Amino acid sequence: MVCKTMGDSGNRIASHAWKGDSHMLDSFGRNINKLRVSLGESCNMACTYCVTSIKDHIPDPNVLSSSDLLKLVSLLVQHSGITKIRITGGEPLLHRDLLGFIDGVRQQGVESIGLTTNGLNLSKLAVSLKEVGLDSVNISLDSLDAENFRRLGRAGRLERVLEGVEEALNAGLRIKLNMVVIRGANDHEVVDLLDYAIERGIELRYLELMRMGPLFQTEKFPLFSMSEILELIGKHYTWRKVDAEHDATAQRYWVPGGYFGIIPNESEPFCSTCSRLRLTSSGQLVGCLSNPTPTSIHHLLNQQEVASELNERVAHSIAFKEPVAFTGSNLGMSRIGG
């Protein structure tokens, strides 16, 4: 089936081809098979690149119950080609029914379930997360210095995150660490974080800042670029670029003892291979962070035959995707989970 949909951004027309019952290709030939599900906007940190203060974490008054959100995930898996799920927030470890939700997602038969967290509550949940079917966890860790950690995150204790890392390793979860590199704030810790990750057999990913939320209109954008990161690492390690998955956001590199990646939002945009769709806690689809126009699907919870309308709405949402590069938006990361 070929579906025509009109995106509101620039009145562009996009063609979307459904390949059998399981693959959706957007107008640029990208297979949209990864879903990021935000369980809510609450967070126990207030990172400087995400929000202006912790008061910015305003819960959506229309948040769905876990069972309803899980049903929408199930519909997207059944009818819209979704095969991989990542659970986000806000901070997903604050969600009271997180374990039940993951268990429900696992029963959908997806290929993988990941979760992105700040790690503050991970130590007490790591074993249970593994037991209900979580495969991997991405942990935000922007500093190994307790004072700098607190300065960047405005809340939380570094030791709790480090304990969470160790417990997740012991539980058998696959781990990646995410470090947002900010000029003048933590760029001096680039090598320290890599040392820490390699010692534990963990892959570290450096993220260039994204022009989102409080940084969207910033005149002096404190970008620390991919080339600068590689230059710093090159003073301490021999590195070599290696292959990554075709739709990976990160450029991947080998160093003696392990690997690291760089997500170069500004230096080498990766939008041309984006395979991601986002579902908010209130049942809205968001196809692109640059053009975060929501497309509602929560009303489908009350309908019997949903496949046709669901796929039309998925097609409408991904029509907003940028073809090449991220252009930024006022949307804060805590609203959609990155």
Side-chain angles (χ1 to χ4, degrees), residues 2-260:
V2 175
C3 174
K4 298 284 189 178
T5 185
M6 175 75 75
D8 295 333
S9 178
N11 291 323
R12 65 170 176 246
I13 300 286
S15 298
H16 303 80
W18 291 92
K19 300 296 185 181
D21 295 326
S22 59
H23 294 88
M24 182 168 189
L25 305 182
D26 73 359
S27 57
F28 302 102
R30 298 174 290 204
N31 180 22
I32 312 302
N33 67 342
K34 295 179 179 178
L35 181 69
R36 296 193 172 190
V37 184
S38 174
L39 296 186
E41 298 172 18
S42 297
C43 188
N44 45 4
M45 294 185 69
C47 297
T48 55
Y49 49 82
C50 183
V51 291
T52 58
S53 78
I54 204 161
K55 294 180 180 179
D56 290 352
H57 299 306
I58 303 174
D60 190 327
N62 300 310
V63 63
L64 297 176
S65 67
S66 295
S67 59
D68 281 348
L69 194 60
L70 181 60
K71 184 175 180 180
L72 292 180
V73 171
S74 176
L75 292 175
L76 288 163
V77 171
Q78 291 177 41
H79 303 296
S80 303
I82 296 299
T83 60
K84 299 179 180 180
I85 308 288
R86 174 160 295 279
I87 299 168
T88 68
E91 171 48 50
L93 296 189
L94 296 178
H95 196 273
R96 62 183 180 182
D97 192 31
L98 174 62
L99 297 177
F101 186 82
I102 294 174
D103 184 52
V105 173
R106 175 55 65 194
Q107 295 178 34
Q108 305 305 315
V110 295
E111 293 178 13
S112 65
I113 307 173
L115 180 143
T116 298
T117 175
N118 60 33
L120 288 177
N121 291 343
L122 185 57
S123 61
K124 62 183 180 181
L125 287 171
V127 171
S128 296
L129 289 168
K130 179 65 176 179
E131 288 176 345
V132 295
L134 189 70
D135 297 305
S136 64
V137 59
N138 289 2
I139 306 169
S140 297
L141 182 59
D142 296 328
S143 176
L144 288 173
D145 176 87
E147 290 186 8
N148 202 32
F149 176 90
R150 183 81 178 189
R151 187 179 305 115
L152 290 167
R154 297 194 182 100
R157 299 201 318 273
L158 172 64
E159 63 187 60
R160 287 181 59 187
V161 179
L162 300 184
E163 289 170 1
V165 171
E166 298 301 328
E167 290 300 323
L169 282 172
N170 293 336
L173 290 165
R174 296 197 306 272
I175 300 174
K176 288 183 180 178
L177 297 179
N178 289 343
M179 177 191 186
V180 178
V181 186
I182 308 171
R183 183 179 303 282
N186 65 350
D187 52 301
H188 61 287
E189 295 192 65
V190 163
V191 176
D192 293 340
L193 261 293
L194 184 56
D195 291 342
Y196 170 84
I198 289 175
E199 288 173 2
R200 289 158 179 78
I202 300 171
E203 188 162 329
L204 171 64
R205 298 190 305 180
Y206 302 101
L207 282 70
E208 289 186 349
L209 278 177
M210 296 183 75
R211 297 179 186 272
M212 291 187 67
L215 297 178
F216 181 47
Q217 301 292 351
T218 303
E219 292 185 7
K220 294 184 178 180
F221 190 60
L223 176 68
F224 200 82
S225 69
M226 178 169 66
S227 62
E228 292 174 291
I229 294 170
L230 289 173
E231 182 179 359
L232 273 182
I233 293 173
K235 294 178 181 179
H236 300 267
Y237 287 92
T238 298
W239 56 262
R240 182 177 71 247
K241 189 173 183 180
V242 297
D243 291 336
E245 293 183 18
H246 76 282
D247 60 348
T249 56
Q251 304 282 340
R252 196 162 182 254
Y253 300 86
W254 169 91
V255 291
Y259 296 86
F260 70 91

